[in-house]
Amino acid sequence: MTYFQVQSLQETTIPSGEIQDFLFDMIQQEFGYGYIPDYHQDIQHIADYYLKPAGNDFLLAVDNAHEKLIGTIGIRAYDKDFPLFKDIYHPHSTASIWRVFVSKSWRRKGVASTLVNIGEDFCHKKGYENIYLHTHRTVPGSLNFWLAQGYHITVDTKNEMGTVHMEKQLNNQGDREAAEKCEIYI
């Protein structure tokens, strides 16, 4: 039996203010800071970033028993301007994953994996060839989670936030095999 369901932001009855509160609470818990305008425009203008563009979506995991938000994942066409990825990632062929958060009481229960699987299916249907994301070594378990999902490290910045850039080719058998044989990094 599944104790949660995944909804698209387009179809949910959860108010946008509640979604924003959840995201900012998770950011505070994981990173120790609150709203920063340069980092959080997508949360403040969630419809502009995740609903209006055809290749984007925002998924919510909702606790069936309490109809409470327990997890999120955002999918956008690649829209960053990192100089190190110039001419590598393009919005028409690369999706990017954002705002993957799961309430602490729901972790290790398949919520994040389910969100990622549904997000990857969405990306495949939209014709993306690969997925980009960045995570942080400073968030316990995050790097191990993405490696186990078949993502590969492209650049480890070794900066103070522990930013690690990652990618995954869609429909690549090698990625699935790599996930099964994944070594865990701490």
Side-chain angles (χ1 to χ4, degrees):
M1 176 175 193
T2 305
Y3 297 99
F4 65 93
Q5 60 180 299
V6 176
Q7 304 171 355
S8 171
L9 183 61
Q10 296 176 359
E11 302 165 348
T12 191
T13 59
I14 295 177
S16 62
E18 189 174 323
I19 297 166
Q20 291 171 328
D21 289 347
F22 174 85
L23 291 167
F24 286 125
D25 286 347
M26 295 304 300
I27 289 167
Q28 181 66 48
Q29 288 176 33
E30 298 301 338
F31 300 106
Y33 58 79
Y35 173 66
I36 298 175
D38 288 345
Y39 295 168
H40 303 128
Q41 286 300 307
D42 66 311
I43 298 172
Q44 291 294 79
H45 307 283
I46 201 163
D48 292 336
Y49 279 81
Y50 296 103
L51 295 182
K52 292 180 182 175
N56 298 5
D57 202 356
F58 198 86
L59 303 174
L60 311 169
V62 180
D63 172 357
N64 286 338
H66 303 98
E67 294 188 26
K68 181 179 176 184
L69 180 60
I70 59 169
T72 59
I73 185 173
I75 301 138
R76 302 190 330 225
Y78 182 79
D79 61 359
K80 298 308 288 179
D81 59 358
F82 296 122
L84 61 141
F85 299 125
K86 185 177 183 338
D87 299 325
I88 295 174
Y89 300 129
H90 305 281
H92 64 278
S93 62
T94 305
S96 56
I97 291 181
W98 293 88
R99 311 298 178 202
V100 179
F101 292 111
V102 175
S103 295
K104 287 188 179 184
S105 63
W106 279 87
R107 291 183 186 169
R108 305 201 58 80
K109 296 180 181 178
V111 176
S113 297
T114 299
L115 286 167
V116 169
N117 288 334
I118 293 171
E120 288 177 355
D121 286 344
F122 172 84
C123 292
H124 176 72
K125 289 175 186 171
K126 291 296 180 179
Y128 292 114
E129 297 168 13
N130 52 53
I131 301 173
Y132 160 86
L133 65 88
H134 65 268
T135 191
H136 304 278
R137 287 183 182 273
T138 56
V139 177
S142 65
L143 182 58
N144 291 343
F145 171 79
W146 290 112
L147 290 167
Q149 299 301 310
Y151 287 78
H152 304 282
I153 296 171
T154 57
V155 177
D156 185 344
T157 66
K158 301 188 185 331
N159 65 9
E160 63 189 36
M161 290 190 68
T163 305
V164 178
H165 299 275
M166 304 182 83
E167 71 176 18
K168 181 177 184 176
Q169 301 291 313
L170 291 175
N171 295 322
N172 184 335
Q173 182 62 30
D175 284 336
R176 286 191 288 276
E177 291 170 3
E180 292 169 6
K181 298 176 184 175
C182 178
E183 289 187 38
I184 303 303
Y185 296 89
I186 308 251

